Amino acid sequence: MESVLDRRGREVLQAVVHAHILTGEPVGSRTLAKRYGMGVSPATLRNVMADLEEMGYLARPHASAGRVPTDKGFRFYVDRLMSQGGPMPGSLKRDLEQLKALMLRRDLSASEALVEASRILSKISNQMGLVFIPVLRSTRFRHIQFVPLGSRKVLVLIVAEGGIIRHKTVTLDEEMSRKELEKYGQLLNSKFSGRTLMQVRKALVEDMEKDIAEYDALYSRVLEIANRALDSFDEAEAVFHVEGTSNILSQKEFRENVEKMRGIFRAFEEKSRVVKLLDRCIQSGDLVVVIGKEGGIEEFQDLSLVTSRCSIGDSVIGGVGIMGPKRMDYASLLPLMREVVRLINTTQTV
């Protein structure tokens, strides 16, 4: 049916989306004729809008009202019609510089950096900012690496399937050379790669309980280091953080509908469904837009989510996102998300 959308249909759909984003109200043909000067009569515009409604791009919320974009209409706009924002305002540049300064702080862990990014995103967009760090217990282990940091400190770097990366610094009883650490990292990789992290934890404990004579002293120590590091990664559930929930209260479609607002917060409290949605988004690609019912969460049918995974090198560390009403300003928010994620990806290190 999308092929039926000729130039006039596209122009009208784009104008309806713009007007609805601006006002939050149903859009009528007279509004389009006055505001966008499309060179045709309101009667002609009504006919085009009726065609768009029949094709599922617009809907009429009330019998006598104008029309609003449907999920399908917003999707077509985001994928095919949207021209992304113009020059970056000075205030936005300042906010992004603030974010860059935060990202460059070496005392912040990767997860703390993502939380700070969500705060900046929430502030800039006036929407909710989200942070998601995927669950590791059921993901498969790919690689472990020990990096000597000096003064008996070792960075334990663990990579799981999907490029998810975790790291932890542990302190040894005595120093080990880089060559020794590389040797025993290779041994652990050959022994455990392909198992889930829960299985790795179990196997480590079993190996440590075996007769010490079966292993040399260094390998026993490596088992202990790896087990200690995995202790911190043995998460009961994914890390999920929401910033700026009060911003949803300022949006008229929710401010005027208390039950709708309660449903949204109830969904966040249940958490597991939201975590599954965010996990799917991170696995799907670098920048994902989920509109209304596409997310499969009934309470979020009037919301849209813009999210992106964040990486150190080619390893995924989690994701950040913006959630707000379906009429959010996609043309400004998508470039904003790309810039924030670029800052995260280029400033974070292991």
Side-chain angles (χ1 to χ4, degrees), residues 105-124:
R105 279 174 48 186
R106 294 280 74 98
D107 60 324
L108 288 182
S109 68
S111 58
E112 289 169 334
L114 293 185
V115 170
E116 292 297 336
S118 77
R119 289 177 180 151
I120 297 290
L121 275 170
S122 178
K123 174 187 173 185
I124 296 174

Side-chain angles (χ1 to χ4, degrees), residues 183-184 187 212-223:
K183 172 185 174 182
Y184 292 106
L187 182 56
I212 197 69
E214 292 188 35
Y215 303 101
D216 63 41
L218 279 176
Y219 181 56
S220 298
R221 238 186 303 155
V222 170
L223 287 176

Side-chain angles (χ1 to χ4, degrees), residues 86-106:
M88 191 181 296
S91 59
L92 180 54
K93 287 182 180 178
R94 287 192 294 273
D95 287 326
L96 290 175
E97 284 299 317
Q98 179 188 350
L99 175 60
K100 183 176 180 180
L102 285 168
M103 295 299 101
L104 288 170
R105 279 174 48 186
R106 294 280 74 98

